[in-house]
Amino acid sequence: MPVYLDHNATSPIRPEARDAMLKAMAIGGNPSSVHGAGRCARTLLENARSAIAKAIGTRSQDLTFTSGGTESNNLAIAAALTCPDVKRILVSVLEHDAAWMGAHATGYPVEIVPALPNGQIDLRWLEQRLTNWDRDTEGRPFACLQAVTSETGVIQPIDEAGAMIRAAEGLLLVDAVQTLGKTGFHFGRSGAHYASISAHKVGGPQGVGALIVSCDAPCDLPRRGGGQEKGRRSGTENVPGACGFAAAVEAAVRDEEQYTGLAALRDKAEIAIRAAAPHAVVIGGDVPRTPNCLAIAIPGWDGGMQVIALDLAGICISAGSACSSGKSTAPRPWTAIVGEDLARCGIRVSLGWSTTEADIDQFIKAWTREYARVAPRLKEIA
């Protein structure tokens, strides 16, 4: 079996999630039907909704099930733009493509919130921009910000940003996909009007997520179809997926202390890499990160080549987010933080609920062996 260290891309399904899905499948029934099987399905769906809502600090009626983070982000952007006062969008340079491309596809003017060299958004820039915002000509501010950067694990100052945007009477979408079971994201305290979450990042099934909409946020989305999910997403709900999602979230909350302990394993890998390559650069290593994520670059050693070499050795890592894999350019968040050349040399090692110390030891052994093989060539280049 390969050593899997790409949990930020997707986390293997937890046994609790698989069991919950199988039980839901055995019951069957359309949650919109009024007969017994339908009512049982409806009960399962609403119990799942309540469990997930409780875990992230919101009301169950504010949570709409979707197919994942990408759909949730796109729905949130569409919802915010139903507000006639919104005329332009602020998007962090660190955003996932779901929000980045979603914002740019609207045709609205888009302004980029820059990042600091430490990997966090520039709060001072945001504060100054909002202070100088002209409501008469620019309308109501609308910002899209990630709570945790997928490529680095850096925890963003979302609560502070949310307070600024609320004070400016703006709207805020928080991409919280990488927070579940990692940072204790609380929707109510974040200041967000919209938030997106996804099941498979926390050990739930792929293809299930949720959009959270606060009670004071515009959300006049088209109601085409059967009107399910309060008309925000018509179509028969994925009951087994929702049940697996809820079971994974509950397991993640239960195992939060164990998850925090992953920091020791991550640091073990970081120390080993630095010992072999003292010139290695940890991207976002000087600010709070989730316990599971290490983004590190070796000048001169292409990240994609590292991924291939380790894959041949039975180790699964990445060179950025899964959505950016195969692209000729380096991940945008890394480039914004350390520049194009070093960003191309980055790898991301992301741990999760199934990671063991033996996994990290195997990674260290394989990476060190590969580095020893290429180090002479790197020194010649330098």
Side-chain angles (χ1 to χ4, degrees):
M1 289 291 292
V3 172
Y4 187 80
L5 297 173
D6 198 16
H7 284 258
N8 276 18
T10 195
S11 196
I13 193 163
R14 293 174 180 264
E16 299 92 338
R18 184 185 299 110
D19 291 345
M21 294 178 71
L22 289 173
K23 290 178 182 178
M25 289 178 185
I27 291 174
N30 186 318
S32 295
S33 298
V34 298
H35 49 60
R39 294 196 303 273
C40 285
R42 172 58 59 183
T43 298
L44 289 176
L45 183 68
E46 297 309 322
N47 286 346
R49 193 190 311 274
S50 296
I52 299 167
K54 180 181 178 181
I56 61 171
T58 191
R59 306 179 306 168
S60 59
Q61 59 263 44
D62 296 333
L63 189 149
T64 298
F65 284 112
T66 67
S67 65
T70 294
E71 183 186 5
S72 295
N73 281 329
N74 278 269
L75 285 174
I77 292 170
L81 297 183
T82 63
C83 175
D85 293 335
V86 173
K87 298 180 180 179
R88 61 178 58 224
I89 308 173
L90 295 170
V91 181
S92 160
V93 69
L94 304 173
E95 292 309 290
H96 187 279
D97 276 350
W100 177 269
M101 297 177 69
H104 282 85
T106 63
Y108 282 62
V110 175
E111 288 188 48
I112 310 305
V113 180
L116 297 170
N118 64 11
Q120 291 186 322
I121 59 172
D122 190 337
L123 277 181
R124 180 171 295 182
W125 182 95
L126 181 62
E127 182 178 31
Q128 292 177 344
R129 182 65 184 90
L130 292 173
T131 299
N132 296 322
W133 196 276
D134 187 343
R135 284 291 297 269
D136 291 335
T137 60
E138 296 182 300
R140 188 178 184 182
F142 170 46
C144 304
L145 303 174
Q146 266 190 332
V148 170
T149 304
S150 172
E151 288 83 356
T152 62
V154 168
I155 299 171
Q156 299 297 331
I158 286 300
D159 291 358
E160 295 93 326
M164 292 178 188
I165 293 165
R166 284 272 180 179
E169 299 181 346
L171 296 171
L172 172 62
L173 161 61
V174 172
D175 182 334
V177 164
Q178 291 290 346
T179 65
L180 288 179
K182 299 175 183 178
T183 66
F185 174 73
H186 191 284
F187 181 74
R189 289 197 294 264
S190 70
H193 295 82
Y194 313 93
S196 57
I197 54 177
S198 183
H200 74 105
K201 304 295 187 180
V202 71
Q206 296 174 348
V208 184
L211 166 67
I212 301 92
V213 181
S214 67
C215 60
D216 62 342
C219 193
D220 187 19
L221 293 171
R223 297 177 179 238
R224 303 188 184 99
Q228 291 90 343
E229 296 296 294
K230 298 175 70 173
R232 291 173 178 170
R233 188 180 186 264
S234 289
T236 301
E237 296 94 340
N238 181 354
V239 178
C243 291
F245 190 179
V249 168
E250 290 177 325
V253 172
R254 179 199 66 206
D255 298 339
E256 188 172 333
E257 184 175 342
Q258 176 184 338
Y259 195 90
T260 302
L262 291 176
L265 298 181
R266 175 200 64 194
D267 293 346
K268 183 176 184 178
E270 180 179 326
I271 290 169
I273 292 175
R274 283 181 174 276
H279 57 304
V281 176
V282 177
I283 306 173
D286 295 327
V287 290
R289 292 174 288 169
T290 55
N292 76 309
C293 190
L294 170 63
I296 193 163
I298 310 298
W301 192 11
D302 182 78
M305 297 305 294
Q306 295 183 58
V307 171
I308 293 171
L310 287 171
D311 185 39
L312 293 173
I315 312 291
C316 301
I317 62 168
S318 69
S321 69
C323 297
S324 66
S325 297
K327 295 181 180 178
S328 60
T329 57
R332 178 175 15 86
W334 285 353
T335 300
I337 299 168
V338 298
E340 177 79 18
D341 290 344
L342 190 56
R344 288 181 178 274
C345 300
I347 59 171
R348 182 186 68 184
V349 182
S350 52
L351 292 60
W353 68 269
S354 61
T355 303
T356 66
E357 187 165 13
D359 292 337
I360 297 302
D361 289 341
Q362 288 187 58
F363 163 76
I364 291 171
K365 181 179 179 180
W367 187 92
T368 303
R369 182 178 63 247
E370 289 303 319
Y371 178 71
R373 185 178 61 81
V374 302
R377 178 176 59 82
L378 298 180
K379 290 177 181 178
E380 290 177 5
I381 295 174

